Amino acid sequence: MNTKVIELQKLTTEEKDSIFKEAATIIQNGGLVAFPTETVYGLGGNALNPEASSKIYAAKGRPSDNPLIAHVANLEQVVPLVTEITPVAKELMNKFWPGPMTLILNKSEIVPLTTTGGRDTVAIRMPNHQTALRLIEEAGVPIAAPSANLSGRPSPTQASHVVEDLSGRIEMILDDGQTDIGIESTIIDLTEDKPVILRPGYITPEMLEEVIGKTEENSSLSEEEKPKAPGMKYKHYAPKANLIVVEGNEQEVVREILTRIKEQEQVGVICSDETRQYYKQALVKSIGSRHDVKSVAHNLYRVLREFDESDVSVIYSEAFGETEFGEAIMNRLVKAAGHQVIKV
Ligand code: TXA
Ligand code: MG
C-alpha cells in the first residue's frame, strides 16, 4: 500500500479542506489515517467498524486483546458509546476535556468487541488538538486510535516516527509537526466503586483529587499481577541498547554514571540540561531541563528512538521522578529499562 504523507502546515486553506475530506472518507470506508494529538500521534480507524479495528491491530502488530481508545470530538458523541455517563465522569469530562485524559466506562451495544479487545468496557478520550478534532468531526464517527507506532516501539511524537514504523501499512499520515506533551494520556477506570488510575500521565493524581477526591493507583503493577489496562502486561519498548536508570541525588547520580562509563566504549547517557556538561566521553543526549519537566516528557520518546540509530550498547539514564508528572515519565523510562534501576 502506498501511504500518503501530508504536511498540513504547507497547505492552503482550500488544500486542507480537500485533504480533511479525503482523510474522513478513508475513515468512513474502513481505512486507516495516522493523525497528531496533543500527547502522541494516533493510528485512527472507525471505532464502530470491527474490520477497521482489526486493520489497526494488524498494522501495529498488536495483540487483539489489547483494547483501543475511542476518540471523540464532542460530548454528544460519547452518549451512544456507553451505558451511562456517571456523575464523576461528567465532572472529569467538564474539567479535563478536550485534553490528555482517557476514561473507561461500561460500553453500549454499538461498540464492537474488536475495538474493546473483548471487554464490556470502552476507553474514551477527547483530544486537545485541532487536527484530531477536525478529522473526527468530518468523519462523523468516533475514531479508535492507539499510539501510531509498531507494537514494542516508543510512541511517535512526530510524523517521521510514524513514517518509520507504519509506512506502507496505512492509507494516510497527517503530519502536523511535533506533539506538545509527548507522553500518552492518563487513563482512569470509572467502572469500579472508586476511580482507579490505570496509566499515569500529564493529568496527575493531585489534579484529579481537586475535582473528584482521592483516586486509587494501579499503574505500578508487577508483571505477575493481572493488570487492568491490558496494555501494561505486554512487553514494553526496550531500546536496542541495555538501558539502566540511575536514581538518587543529582551529584551522586552524576558520579555513579561517570564511574560506570569510564573507559567504556559505545555507551550512551540520557541526562538533563543542568548535568549535560559533566559527561564528556559518551554519546550524551539531554532530554530537557529539570526546571521544565514538560520538556522532559516532550523529548523522551524522540531521544529513545535516536539511540536506536546509534551503535551504543549500554545507556545510563538519570531519573526524572521528583516533580509533578515525574511519575508519568518514570513509568515509561523504567519500563523501557526493563525495571533496571540503580539507587545511589
Ligand atoms: O494519549 C493517548 O492515550 C494516545 C493518543 C493517540 O490518544 N493513545 C494511546 O493508545 O496511548 P494506546 O492504545 O497506545 O494505549 C491505550 C491503553 C492500553 O494500555 C490499553 O490496554 C488501555 O489503554 N485500554 C484501552 N481500553 C481499555 C479498557 N476498556 N479497559 C482497560 N484498559 C483499556
Ligand atoms: Mg501505545
PDB file of all heavy atoms in Angstrom, residues 56-76:
ATOM      1  N   ILE A  56      -6.250  -2.063  12.407  1.00  0.00           N
ATOM      2  CA  ILE A  56      -5.343  -1.343  13.314  1.00  0.00           C
ATOM      3  C   ILE A  56      -4.404  -2.335  14.015  1.00  0.00           C
ATOM      4  O   ILE A  56      -3.184  -2.138  14.051  1.00  0.00           O
ATOM      5  CB  ILE A  56      -6.133  -0.524  14.372  1.00  0.00           C
ATOM      6  CG1 ILE A  56      -6.848   0.647  13.710  1.00  0.00           C
ATOM      7  CG2 ILE A  56      -5.202  -0.032  15.475  1.00  0.00           C
ATOM      8  CD1 ILE A  56      -7.758   1.449  14.646  1.00  0.00           C
ATOM      9  N   TYR A  57      -4.972  -3.430  14.537  1.00  0.00           N
ATOM     10  CA  TYR A  57      -4.135  -4.429  15.220  1.00  0.00           C
ATOM     11  C   TYR A  57      -3.095  -4.995  14.254  1.00  0.00           C
ATOM     12  O   TYR A  57      -1.922  -5.155  14.608  1.00  0.00           O
ATOM     13  CB  TYR A  57      -4.997  -5.575  15.773  1.00  0.00           C
ATOM     14  CG  TYR A  57      -5.920  -5.171  16.901  1.00  0.00           C
ATOM     15  CD1 TYR A  57      -7.295  -5.241  16.765  1.00  0.00           C
ATOM     16  CD2 TYR A  57      -5.393  -4.731  18.112  1.00  0.00           C
ATOM     17  CE1 TYR A  57      -8.147  -4.879  17.806  1.00  0.00           C
ATOM     18  CE2 TYR A  57      -6.240  -4.356  19.148  1.00  0.00           C
ATOM     19  CZ  TYR A  57      -7.616  -4.436  18.991  1.00  0.00           C
ATOM     20  OH  TYR A  57      -8.435  -4.074  20.025  1.00  0.00           O
ATOM     21  N   ALA A  58      -3.522  -5.257  13.029  1.00  0.00           N
ATOM     22  CA  ALA A  58      -2.599  -5.848  12.050  1.00  0.00           C
ATOM     23  C   ALA A  58      -1.481  -4.865  11.702  1.00  0.00           C
ATOM     24  O   ALA A  58      -0.306  -5.233  11.669  1.00  0.00           O
ATOM     25  CB  ALA A  58      -3.368  -6.264  10.801  1.00  0.00           C
ATOM     26  N   ALA A  59      -1.848  -3.595  11.464  1.00  0.00           N
ATOM     27  CA  ALA A  59      -0.836  -2.607  11.051  1.00  0.00           C
ATOM     28  C   ALA A  59       0.206  -2.399  12.141  1.00  0.00           C
ATOM     29  O   ALA A  59       1.398  -2.238  11.868  1.00  0.00           O
ATOM     30  CB  ALA A  59      -1.509  -1.275  10.707  1.00  0.00           C
ATOM     31  N   LYS A  60      -0.226  -2.413  13.404  1.00  0.00           N
ATOM     32  CA  LYS A  60       0.697  -2.203  14.533  1.00  0.00           C
ATOM     33  C   LYS A  60       1.427  -3.465  14.949  1.00  0.00           C
ATOM     34  O   LYS A  60       2.400  -3.405  15.694  1.00  0.00           O
ATOM     35  CB  LYS A  60      -0.102  -1.732  15.764  1.00  0.00           C
ATOM     36  CG  LYS A  60      -0.273  -0.247  15.903  1.00  0.00           C
ATOM     37  CD  LYS A  60      -1.009   0.068  17.200  1.00  0.00           C
ATOM     38  CE  LYS A  60      -0.179  -0.144  18.452  1.00  0.00           C
ATOM     39  NZ  LYS A  60       0.589   1.019  18.895  1.00  0.00           N
ATOM     40  N   GLY A  61       0.894  -4.615  14.534  1.00  0.00           N
ATOM     41  CA  GLY A  61       1.427  -5.874  15.052  1.00  0.00           C
ATOM     42  C   GLY A  61       1.072  -6.012  16.518  1.00  0.00           C
ATOM     43  O   GLY A  61       1.864  -6.497  17.333  1.00  0.00           O
ATOM     44  N   ARG A  62      -0.141  -5.575  16.873  1.00  0.00           N
ATOM     45  CA  ARG A  62      -0.545  -5.539  18.285  1.00  0.00           C
ATOM     46  C   ARG A  62      -1.489  -6.692  18.595  1.00  0.00           C
ATOM     47  O   ARG A  62      -2.362  -7.005  17.804  1.00  0.00           O
ATOM     48  CB  ARG A  62      -1.273  -4.211  18.526  1.00  0.00           C
ATOM     49  CG  ARG A  62      -1.898  -4.050  19.908  1.00  0.00           C
ATOM     50  CD  ARG A  62      -2.411  -2.623  20.021  1.00  0.00           C
ATOM     51  NE  ARG A  62      -3.061  -2.358  21.277  1.00  0.00           N
ATOM     52  CZ  ARG A  62      -3.067  -1.141  21.841  1.00  0.00           C
ATOM     53  NH1 ARG A  62      -2.461  -0.136  21.262  1.00  0.00           N
ATOM     54  NH2 ARG A  62      -3.695  -0.940  22.966  1.00  0.00           N
ATOM     55  N   PRO A  63      -1.338  -7.320  19.766  1.00  0.00           N
ATOM     56  CA  PRO A  63      -2.263  -8.396  20.151  1.00  0.00           C
ATOM     57  C   PRO A  63      -3.692  -7.853  20.191  1.00  0.00           C
ATOM     58  O   PRO A  63      -3.918  -6.753  20.680  1.00  0.00           O
ATOM     59  CB  PRO A  63      -1.813  -8.783  21.558  1.00  0.00           C
ATOM     60  CG  PRO A  63      -0.461  -8.193  21.734  1.00  0.00           C
ATOM     61  CD  PRO A  63      -0.349  -7.028  20.824  1.00  0.00           C
ATOM     62  N   SER A  64      -4.657  -8.621  19.684  1.00  0.00           N
ATOM     63  CA  SER A  64      -6.004  -8.075  19.520  1.00  0.00           C
ATOM     64  C   SER A  64      -6.823  -8.113  20.807  1.00  0.00           C
ATOM     65  O   SER A  64      -7.989  -7.746  20.811  1.00  0.00           O
ATOM     66  CB  SER A  64      -6.732  -8.803  18.406  1.00  0.00           C
ATOM     67  OG  SER A  64      -6.817 -10.158  18.738  1.00  0.00           O
ATOM     68  N   ASP A  65      -6.215  -8.557  21.929  1.00  0.00           N
ATOM     69  CA  ASP A  65      -6.946  -8.432  23.190  1.00  0.00           C
ATOM     70  C   ASP A  65      -6.506  -7.185  23.957  1.00  0.00           C
ATOM     71  O   ASP A  65      -6.850  -6.998  25.115  1.00  0.00           O
ATOM     72  CB  ASP A  65      -6.763  -9.686  24.060  1.00  0.00           C
ATOM     73  CG  ASP A  65      -5.327  -9.874  24.503  1.00  0.00           C
ATOM     74  OD1 ASP A  65      -4.429  -9.234  23.914  1.00  0.00           O
ATOM     75  OD2 ASP A  65      -5.095 -10.662  25.435  1.00  0.00           O
ATOM     76  N   ASN A  66      -5.737  -6.328  23.293  1.00  0.00           N
ATOM     77  CA  ASN A  66      -5.304  -5.083  23.924  1.00  0.00           C
ATOM     78  C   ASN A  66      -6.159  -3.940  23.373  1.00  0.00           C
ATOM     79  O   ASN A  66      -5.938  -3.478  22.264  1.00  0.00           O
ATOM     80  CB  ASN A  66      -3.821  -4.851  23.631  1.00  0.00           C
ATOM     81  CG  ASN A  66      -3.246  -3.701  24.442  1.00  0.00           C
ATOM     82  OD1 ASN A  66      -3.951  -3.088  25.245  1.00  0.00           O
ATOM     83  ND2 ASN A  66      -1.986  -3.387  24.219  1.00  0.00           N
ATOM     84  N   PRO A  67      -7.148  -3.470  24.145  1.00  0.00           N
ATOM     85  CA  PRO A  67      -8.196  -2.602  23.605  1.00  0.00           C
ATOM     86  C   PRO A  67      -7.721  -1.224  23.136  1.00  0.00           C
ATOM     87  O   PRO A  67      -6.656  -0.756  23.537  1.00  0.00           O
ATOM     88  CB  PRO A  67      -9.152  -2.459  24.781  1.00  0.00           C
ATOM     89  CG  PRO A  67      -8.379  -2.817  25.989  1.00  0.00           C
ATOM     90  CD  PRO A  67      -7.325  -3.764  25.566  1.00  0.00           C
ATOM     91  N   LEU A  68      -8.554  -0.601  22.308  1.00  0.00           N
ATOM     92  CA  LEU A  68      -8.224   0.681  21.698  1.00  0.00           C
ATOM     93  C   LEU A  68      -9.005   1.813  22.376  1.00  0.00           C
ATOM     94  O   LEU A  68     -10.070   1.575  22.931  1.00  0.00           O
ATOM     95  CB  LEU A  68      -8.590   0.641  20.212  1.00  0.00           C
ATOM     96  CG  LEU A  68      -8.047  -0.551  19.430  1.00  0.00           C
ATOM     97  CD1 LEU A  68      -8.628  -0.556  18.009  1.00  0.00           C
ATOM     98  CD2 LEU A  68      -6.515  -0.497  19.389  1.00  0.00           C
ATOM     99  N   ILE A  69      -8.479   3.021  22.298  1.00  0.00           N
ATOM    100  CA  ILE A  69      -9.185   4.188  22.828  1.00  0.00           C
ATOM    101  C   ILE A  69     -10.041   4.795  21.722  1.00  0.00           C
ATOM    102  O   ILE A  69      -9.548   5.037  20.614  1.00  0.00           O
ATOM    103  CB  ILE A  69      -8.189   5.253  23.348  1.00  0.00           C
ATOM    104  CG1 ILE A  69      -7.338   4.684  24.493  1.00  0.00           C
ATOM    105  CG2 ILE A  69      -8.928   6.512  23.792  1.00  0.00           C
ATOM    106  CD1 ILE A  69      -6.212   5.613  24.963  1.00  0.00           C
ATOM    107  N   ALA A  70     -11.333   5.035  22.016  1.00  0.00           N
ATOM    108  CA  ALA A  70     -12.207   5.721  21.055  1.00  0.00           C
ATOM    109  C   ALA A  70     -12.078   7.225  21.283  1.00  0.00           C
ATOM    110  O   ALA A  70     -12.294   7.719  22.392  1.00  0.00           O
ATOM    111  CB  ALA A  70     -13.641   5.274  21.251  1.00  0.00           C
ATOM    112  N   HIS A  71     -11.702   7.942  20.216  1.00  0.00           N
ATOM    113  CA  HIS A  71     -11.527   9.392  20.315  1.00  0.00           C
ATOM    114  C   HIS A  71     -12.784  10.094  19.804  1.00  0.00           C
ATOM    115  O   HIS A  71     -13.280   9.760  18.727  1.00  0.00           O
ATOM    116  CB  HIS A  71     -10.308   9.835  19.507  1.00  0.00           C
ATOM    117  CG  HIS A  71      -9.005   9.339  20.070  1.00  0.00           C
ATOM    118  ND1 HIS A  71      -8.659   7.999  20.049  1.00  0.00           N
ATOM    119  CD2 HIS A  71      -7.983   9.993  20.688  1.00  0.00           C
ATOM    120  CE1 HIS A  71      -7.460   7.864  20.629  1.00  0.00           C
ATOM    121  NE2 HIS A  71      -7.038   9.047  21.023  1.00  0.00           N
ATOM    122  N   VAL A  72     -13.265  11.067  20.567  1.00  0.00           N
ATOM    123  CA  VAL A  72     -14.466  11.806  20.175  1.00  0.00           C
ATOM    124  C   VAL A  72     -14.136  13.292  20.037  1.00  0.00           C
ATOM    125  O   VAL A  72     -13.130  13.772  20.562  1.00  0.00           O
ATOM    126  CB  VAL A  72     -15.600  11.626  21.214  1.00  0.00           C
ATOM    127  CG1 VAL A  72     -16.040  10.168  21.305  1.00  0.00           C
ATOM    128  CG2 VAL A  72     -15.140  12.130  22.598  1.00  0.00           C
ATOM    129  N   ALA A  73     -15.029  14.008  19.304  1.00  0.00           N
ATOM    130  CA  ALA A  73     -14.798  15.442  19.085  1.00  0.00           C
ATOM    131  C   ALA A  73     -15.728  16.301  19.945  1.00  0.00           C
ATOM    132  O   ALA A  73     -15.518  17.492  20.089  1.00  0.00           O
ATOM    133  CB  ALA A  73     -14.983  15.787  17.610  1.00  0.00           C
ATOM    134  N   ASN A  74     -16.784  15.679  20.503  1.00  0.00           N
ATOM    135  CA  ASN A  74     -17.723  16.432  21.341  1.00  0.00           C
ATOM    136  C   ASN A  74     -18.448  15.465  22.275  1.00  0.00           C
ATOM    137  O   ASN A  74     -18.366  14.246  22.097  1.00  0.00           O
ATOM    138  CB  ASN A  74     -18.723  17.190  20.467  1.00  0.00           C
ATOM    139  CG  ASN A  74     -19.340  16.262  19.431  1.00  0.00           C
ATOM    140  OD1 ASN A  74     -19.987  15.270  19.787  1.00  0.00           O
ATOM    141  ND2 ASN A  74     -19.121  16.555  18.157  1.00  0.00           N
ATOM    142  N   LEU A  75     -19.139  16.032  23.253  1.00  0.00           N
ATOM    143  CA  LEU A  75     -19.773  15.183  24.271  1.00  0.00           C
ATOM    144  C   LEU A  75     -20.938  14.368  23.714  1.00  0.00           C
ATOM    145  O   LEU A  75     -21.211  13.263  24.174  1.00  0.00           O
ATOM    146  CB  LEU A  75     -20.228  16.025  25.465  1.00  0.00           C
ATOM    147  CG  LEU A  75     -19.083  16.622  26.303  1.00  0.00           C
ATOM    148  CD1 LEU A  75     -19.620  17.518  27.402  1.00  0.00           C
ATOM    149  CD2 LEU A  75     -18.194  15.529  26.895  1.00  0.00           C
ATOM    150  N   GLU A  76     -21.607  14.892  22.689  1.00  0.00           N
ATOM    151  CA  GLU A  76     -22.736  14.143  22.095  1.00  0.00           C
ATOM    152  C   GLU A  76     -22.269  12.797  21.554  1.00  0.00           C
ATOM    153  O   GLU A  76     -23.002  11.811  21.570  1.00  0.00           O
ATOM    154  CB  GLU A  76     -23.394  14.923  20.941  1.00  0.00           C
ATOM    155  CG  GLU A  76     -24.123  16.188  21.370  1.00  0.00           C
ATOM    156  CD  GLU A  76     -23.178  17.370  21.562  1.00  0.00           C
ATOM    157  OE1 GLU A  76     -22.733  17.923  20.542  1.00  0.00           O
ATOM    158  OE2 GLU A  76     -22.846  17.727  22.710  1.00  0.00           O
TER     159      GLU A  76
END
